[in-house]
């Protein structure tokens, strides 16, 4: 089997798993930074559409201010601790994203708020009506899906459909780590 066939088999196996994982999560973790470069970790409920992830964020929140100052954000979807085989290798999907504010008078704004309301009930509609809440579209530029020890896969391409197994990972005795986590 040549390299192209291996890549195709990897895509066929992992893409549905990654999509299911994205849809099983309700919140994403955010890493933003302020104008001085000071990082801030936070989270937000999200809706996922073909255009990207949508979040509603208040200007009163630190990450709300940070999103206004820098469009470069890291986002992570994370397996719950109670679902993980080990907390040392929780499934996670991280993305470098570009955050862009969506204008209130646009069809995109209404569609995204509708998508949030479908997931979370009427609360997103109420929040969207408040002057301090802004809607952001988070567009992934590259990503990493980690299934567990030695199972990290880089995602790239315009639609995050290109997958490459990260084989140059851990150094040391992998068997010792696996036996301790069993």
């Amino acid at each position: 089997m040549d390299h192209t066939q291996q890549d195709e088999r990897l895509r066929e196996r992992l893409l549905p798993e990654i999509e299911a994982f994205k849809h099983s999560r309700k919140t994403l973790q955010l890493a933003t930074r302020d104008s001085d470069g000071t990082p801030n970790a936070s989270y937000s409920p999200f809706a996922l559409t073909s255009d990207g992830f949508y979040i509603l964020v208040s200007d009163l929140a630190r990450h709300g201010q940070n999103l206004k100052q820098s469009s470069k954000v890291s986002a992570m979807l994370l397996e719950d601790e109670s679902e993980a085989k080990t907390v040392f290798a929780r499934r996670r999907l991280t993305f470098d994203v570009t955050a862009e504010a969506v204008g209130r008078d646009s069809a995109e704004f209404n569609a995204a708020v509708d998508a949030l309301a479908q997931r979370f009930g009427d609360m997103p509609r109420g929040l969207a009506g408040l002057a301090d809440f802004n809607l952001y579209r988070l567009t992934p530029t590259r990503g990493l899906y980690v299934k567990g020890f030695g199972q990290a896969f880089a995602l790239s391409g315009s639609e995050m459909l290109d997958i490459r197994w990260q084989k140059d990972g851990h150094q040391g005795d992998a068997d010792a780590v696996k036996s301790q986590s069993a």
Side-chain angles (χ1 to χ4, degrees), residues 31-47:
T32 60
R33 61 185 177 173
D34 65 18
S35 59
D36 293 328
T38 303
N40 175 245
S42 189
Y43 85 98
S44 179
F46 72 91

Side-chain angles (χ1 to χ4, degrees), residues 24-63:
S24 73
R25 304 294 95 190
K26 292 183 178 179
T27 62
L28 50 80
Q29 314 301 309
L30 295 171
T32 60
R33 61 185 177 173
D34 65 18
S35 59
D36 293 328
T38 303
N40 175 245
S42 189
Y43 85 98
S44 179
F46 72 91
L48 180 61
T49 74
S50 60
D51 296 326
F53 297 89
Y54 286 93
I55 60 174
L56 271 170
V57 179
S58 171
D59 285 343
L60 302 177
R62 189 169 159 199
H63 61 282

Side-chain angles (χ1 to χ4, degrees), residues 51-53 95-100 137-142 158:
D51 296 326
F53 297 89
F95 290 111
D96 292 344
V97 301
T98 301
E100 187 176 353
R137 178 182 57 248
L138 307 179
T139 306
T141 55
R142 66 181 177 164
S158 63

Side-chain angles (χ1 to χ4, degrees), residues 88-89 92 146 148-152 166-175 177-178:
F88 289 99
R92 58 201 175 272
V146 178
F149 290 115
Q151 298 180 70
Q166 301 288 100
K167 297 179 184 179
D168 57 346
H170 306 291
Q171 304 295 317
D173 188 354
D175 290 330
V177 171
K178 286 181 182 175

Side-chain angles (χ1 to χ4, degrees), residues 39-108:
N40 175 245
S42 189
Y43 85 98
S44 179
F46 72 91
L48 180 61
T49 74
S50 60
D51 296 326
F53 297 89
Y54 286 93
I55 60 174
L56 271 170
V57 179
S58 171
D59 285 343
L60 302 177
R62 189 169 159 199
H63 61 282
Q65 288 297 310
N66 292 351
L67 285 167
K68 287 183 155 196
Q69 296 173 32
S70 177
S71 64
K72 293 183 180 185
V73 177
S74 182
M76 178 173 63
L77 304 172
L78 183 61
E79 179 179 39
D80 190 272
E81 291 175 10
S82 67
E83 299 168 359
K85 291 179 185 174
T86 173
V87 295
F88 289 99
R90 290 162 68 186
R91 276 192 314 153
R92 58 201 175 272
L93 181 59
T94 58
F95 290 111
D96 292 344
V97 301
T98 301
E100 187 176 353
V102 178
R104 290 181 179 275
D105 57 352
S106 69
E108 180 182 8

